[in-house]
Amino acid sequence: MMTQENINKNSFGMIGLGTMGSNLLQNIADHGYSCAGYDNNTQTVENLNNLNNKNIHGFSDLKEFTDSLKSPKIVMMLVPAGEIVDSVIDDLLGVLDKGDIIIDGGNSHFTDTERRFIELEGKGFHFVGMGVSGGEEGARRGPSMMPGGDQEAYEIIKPILEKIAAQVDGEPTVAFMGERSAGHFVKMVHNGIEYAIMQLLSESYEIMKKGLQMENDEIHKVYKKWNEGQLKSYLVEITTDIFAYKNEGEEHLLLESIRDQAKAKGTGKWTSQAAMDLHLPTPIIDISVSMRDLSSLKDLRVEASKKYPDSVNMVYEKNNEEYCDELEEAFYFAMVSAYAQGMHLLYQANEEFDYDLNLDLIAKIWRGGCIIRSEFLEDIYAAYNSEPKLKHLLLNAEVAKNVTKTIPSMRTVVSDATLHGISTPAFSAALSYFDNFRNEHMPTNLIQAQRDYFGSHTYELKAKEGVFHTKWVMENIKE
């Protein structure tokens, strides 16, 4: 209901006017909402006001900023994760009223979001932890958003979020994820999958460049072809573009000038840590994080390359076109594994944290706007939509049928890479995970025996209930 007090006031407030915050505000303004932006950097406020958008108003004073908002006041933060989020919240509590809504749209760790939700709920404020994916362009034209926490607050902000989100088949790529820290947990897993797919793409590049000795324009054509078929996705699309981009006046690709040291902001590591805490394997994500760390050790790698020169033939004796078709199949296999491991982590987190997640809904909103959007997400959505209690994506009949077709190519690609000294840790992790996932009898009975031998950690038997310990004395050891 519009009260006299709310007339001519702004519907939405944004704290943090960097590229993401500014772009999101412009997106909101484009959809007819009057909004306010605050930053303690006066230049960014001036830049916002210089847009000359009648629906956007920049402020350098926090009290003036919040006073410009309708009640209940909606304030979203897009600031770096960590202590600065707590600092901004503390400042806001002095200028907001009970019942107002605070949204953290940054990449906060889900445990911090859990704590903040409980603290703010106790003080009478609504708190929403919301993952936002799509980068700068997504923020401006339509991101995928993963809000969680306070559902009452979500219903208030829902009309705005649904307007500014990307649209797929006429539906917005935003939905309420679940209780408390659910939104940021889902976004964290999204980023873990993103790490994995980016690593797989870098390894496919290594195979084509080093193993098949392909020129950049040939590699560009391969990725372009992939993006027109079953691998169609945002990350393959931008990789295609990267293999065609040259700075003005230069003959070589910009890619050739970029150092091979990948940085990270921590969300991939958080995904691996969360998975390990839940005793759930996500090896393709884990190795992708490790490879970024290894890439940063440039000096060590240069030194090692001199001590251990290539001792095998690095060039494949293969037909490039035919082999790239096999590589495409292998990439599909590994990509499915990355998504499957991420979705399994969400399934397990739902059991552990009682988030009330809907995996089909998560796949649905990932189909557009976000970094990991892909054609395959339609299959994931269909799988969980038809089987809401599906424990693991690889158990879905349609997914299993498609994966089975690609197994021979996957084995060929991984074995050839190993034989020729080309590192494919993510492809290899995907294959090893699969081979043990389908293994009814893993060799871990030996590990249990070893643990009991040296540490009396006990073991269980196949045909007898209970927990057992053996004194592994020499007289019982038969050689």
Side-chain angles (χ1 to χ4, degrees), residues 198-199 259-264 288-289 291-297 301:
M198 292 171 73
Q199 177 65 28
R259 289 175 64 89
D260 58 331
Q261 293 174 279
K263 294 182 170 58
S288 299
V289 174
M291 288 303 103
R292 288 203 192 185
D293 291 339
L294 183 58
S295 78
S296 69
L297 304 177
R301 290 190 290 114

Side-chain angles (χ1 to χ4, degrees), residues 28 80 159 192 266 333 379:
I28 295 169
F333 178 105
D379 295 343

Side-chain angles (χ1 to χ4, degrees), residues 145 154 157-167 172-175:
M145 291 172 286
Y154 174 70
I157 63 178
K158 177 180 176 180
I160 297 176
L161 298 183
E162 288 190 341
K163 286 283 188 182
I164 67 172
Q167 306 290 315
T173 57
V174 61

Side-chain angles (χ1 to χ4, degrees), residues 1-225:
M1 178 182 293
M2 180 62 70
T3 64
Q4 188 66 34
E5 180 187 1
N6 277 340
I7 292 176
N8 297 325
K9 288 202 170 186
N10 296 306
S11 299
F12 195 95
M14 177 71 69
I15 294 181
L17 301 178
T19 304
M20 284 289 290
S22 175
N23 281 358
L24 205 58
L25 270 187
Q26 292 177 70
N27 186 354
I28 295 169
D30 287 347
H31 287 87
Y33 293 98
S34 182
C35 47
Y38 166 82
D39 203 297
N40 56 16
N41 184 322
T42 56
Q43 184 59 55
T44 59
V45 175
E46 185 178 337
N47 292 342
L48 189 71
N49 286 325
N50 286 341
L51 294 172
N52 293 320
N53 188 317
K54 63 182 178 61
N55 283 336
I56 298 178
H57 312 91
F59 295 87
S60 297
D61 182 276
L62 187 63
K63 184 70 165 61
E64 290 179 6
F65 162 74
T66 55
D67 284 347
S68 78
L69 300 173
K70 297 175 182 178
S71 293
K73 297 170 183 176
I74 303 169
V75 178
M76 179 172 174
M77 302 175 291
L78 269 175
V79 299
E83 293 180 1
I84 191 168
V85 176
D86 291 314
S87 177
V88 172
I89 290 174
D90 286 342
D91 291 342
L92 281 172
L93 294 185
V95 291
L96 293 179
D97 300 314
K98 289 184 178 181
D100 288 340
I101 300 166
I102 300 173
I103 306 168
D104 178 10
N107 275 328
S108 288
H109 195 283
F110 75 96
T111 56
D112 288 334
T113 302
E114 190 85 13
R115 168 179 56 80
R116 290 166 186 147
F117 175 86
I118 294 168
E119 290 175 354
L120 288 169
E121 184 180 48
K123 294 176 181 178
F125 294 88
H126 298 291
F127 185 65
V128 174
M130 183 169 75
V132 180
S133 180
E136 299 172 11
E137 184 64 20
R140 185 68 183 88
R141 304 298 174 193
S144 176
M145 291 172 286
M146 296 148 258
D150 191 317
Q151 187 155 17
E152 181 183 346
Y154 174 70
E155 294 303 322
I156 295 172
I157 63 178
K158 177 180 176 180
I160 297 176
L161 298 183
E162 288 190 341
K163 286 283 188 182
I164 67 172
Q167 306 290 315
V168 176
D169 298 333
E171 296 182 295
T173 57
V174 61
F176 184 71
M177 294 288 94
E179 302 296 322
R180 307 177 317 280
S181 58
H184 275 140
F185 194 96
V186 171
K187 176 55 165 50
M188 176 190 73
V189 174
H190 164 287
N191 285 22
I193 297 170
E194 177 186 310
Y195 271 61
I197 296 173
M198 292 171 73
Q199 177 65 28
L200 289 168
L201 282 165
S202 75
E203 292 176 18
S204 69
Y205 161 45
E206 179 88 334
I207 290 169
M208 286 187 278
K209 189 74 171 177
K210 188 182 287 186
L212 299 175
Q213 297 285 290
M214 292 171 63
E215 300 294 333
N216 289 326
D217 61 333
E218 295 177 286
I219 298 174
H220 167 77
K221 290 175 184 175
V222 169
Y223 287 130
K224 188 173 187 293
K225 180 185 174 185

